[in-house]
Amino acid sequence: MIKDFTIIVPVFNEEACLPELFQELKNYIEISAVKSEVLFVDDGSTDNSPQLIETYCLDNPDFNFLLFDKNYGKGAALKAGFDLCKTSILGYMDADLQTHPEDFEKLLPYIEEYDLVTGWRKDRKDSGFKKISSKIGNAVRKVFTKDHIHDTGCPLKIIKTTSAKRIPMFKGLQRFLPAMILLQNGKIKEVPIPHYPRIAGFSKYSLKNRFMGPLLDCFAFLWMRKSYINYKIDEKG
C-alpha cells in the first residue's frame, strides 16, 4: 500500500513563478491522498530562485531543497532527486505551473498497479510553435521507443521509487522515462490532465533543443536499450 510521496521540482530561473508555486504545493500537501513532501532541485539558476527556495524550505518542514553549483540540465536535476528520495513513490512537475500539483490526484489511483503513471496534456495551452514541435518530437520518439505514449514530455509523472532508482539517467533521458520503465518490464499508464498557460517567466526551449537535442537523444536511447541490464533477484542468503 502506498503511504508516502515525494514531489521533485526541477527549477531553473523561475523566480517569478515560485511564490505561487510554493502556495499551490502547500495547499496540495494538505489535501493529498497520501503523505507528501516536496524536494526542489535548483539547476544552477542565475536569478533569485535559489534564495527564494532556501528561505521557503527552511520555514516549511515538508519542503526540502538541493542547490546545484551550476546548470547541469533537467535530467541531472531529476537524477539527483531520484537518488535522494526515501519515499515509496516519487513524482515530478515543472516549476512553471503549466501543470498543477492537485492533478497528481488523477494519477495516484493507478500507481499501485503501474510502475509509472504519466499525464497527457490533450489540450495544450502553448504557442503554435511549441505545439507543433512537441507533436513532431513525440512522433519521432514513438518511432524509436515504441512506448505508445501520446505525450512523453508531459512534466507530471509518478513513478515507483524502486523503478526510478534503476533508471540509468543521462542528459536528455527524462524524455524517455516511460520507455525506460518498459525496459525493466514495468507497466505504464497515461492519464489525461489539464494544461495551463504559463503565468510568468519564459520557456527555456528553443528550436535547437526541441529538435536536434531530442533527435540525438533518440540514438542514445537505442544504445541504452541494446545495452541495458535488467535482472530480478529470486532469493538472497
Side-chain angles (χ1 to χ4, degrees):
M1 182 177 181
I2 301 301
K3 294 182 179 180
D4 46 12
F5 177 36
T6 298
I7 300 169
I8 300 166
V9 186
V11 178
F12 180 64
N13 290 347
E14 292 287 3
E15 63 178 354
C17 295
L18 287 177
E20 185 168 342
L21 176 63
F22 293 149
Q23 190 59 53
E24 290 216 11
L25 284 164
K26 185 174 183 180
N27 292 344
Y28 173 66
I29 283 177
E30 293 174 356
I31 60 94
S32 174
V34 295
K35 185 179 185 303
S36 301
E37 59 187 54
V38 177
L39 175 62
F40 290 101
V41 184
D42 184 82
D43 185 23
S45 293
T46 56
D47 64 2
N48 200 40
S49 295
Q51 292 78 14
L52 290 172
I53 290 169
E54 185 170 6
T55 299
Y56 189 83
C57 291
L58 291 175
D59 289 336
N60 293 273
D62 293 322
F63 288 72
N64 302 290
F65 66 91
L66 296 173
L67 305 180
F68 281 178
D69 61 337
K70 64 179 182 179
N71 178 246
Y72 292 98
K74 187 175 181 180
L78 290 175
K79 172 63 173 169
F82 291 179
D83 287 347
L84 267 71
C85 183
K86 293 181 172 61
T87 55
S88 57
I89 58 171
L90 60 84
Y92 79 85
M93 63 175 291
D94 282 351
D96 58 15
L97 281 174
Q98 289 199 260
T99 52
H100 286 188
E102 64 264 26
D103 290 320
F104 280 119
E105 294 296 300
K106 294 179 170 64
L107 310 187
L108 280 170
Y110 299 98
I111 196 60
E112 290 274 12
E113 181 180 355
Y114 294 90
D115 300 284
L116 176 147
V117 186
T118 181
W120 175 11
R121 301 163 293 178
K122 293 184 74 172
D123 184 18
R124 294 286 295 268
K125 304 299 181 184
D126 284 324
S127 67
F129 168 75
K130 285 184 71 175
K131 288 180 181 178
I132 292 170
S133 61
S134 291
K135 188 172 183 178
I136 293 171
N138 278 311
V140 170
R141 279 192 290 273
K142 278 198 283 188
V143 170
F144 281 82
T145 65
K146 298 178 173 58
D147 60 15
H148 305 294
I149 295 292
H150 296 88
D151 189 10
T152 303
C154 179
L156 196 82
K157 289 180 171 63
I158 297 177
I159 314 172
K160 287 179 178 170
T161 302
T162 52
S163 298
K165 288 181 181 291
R166 293 177 62 201
I167 296 173
M169 293 288 285
F170 58 82
K171 188 175 182 180
L173 195 60
Q174 71 272 12
R175 302 181 181 98
F176 300 91
L177 292 179
M180 294 306 298
I181 297 298
L182 290 177
L183 283 183
Q184 300 177 17
N185 297 319
K187 296 172 63 180
I188 60 177
K189 172 77 174 177
E190 193 172 34
V191 178
I193 61 166
H195 191 235
Y196 305 90
R198 176 180 265 276
I199 62 168
F202 58 92
S203 173
K204 310 305 185 295
Y205 290 97
S206 64
L207 183 65
K208 180 180 179 181
N209 60 26
R210 280 192 175 274
F211 288 103
M212 293 307 299
L215 182 59
L216 293 174
D217 292 338
C218 285
F219 290 104
F221 169 77
L222 288 182
W223 174 85
M224 179 67 69
R225 184 173 65 184
K226 182 179 179 180
S227 306
Y228 185 70
I229 296 172
N230 187 42
Y231 65 89
K232 290 184 178 180
I233 295 173
D234 184 52
E235 186 176 345
K236 292 192 293 186

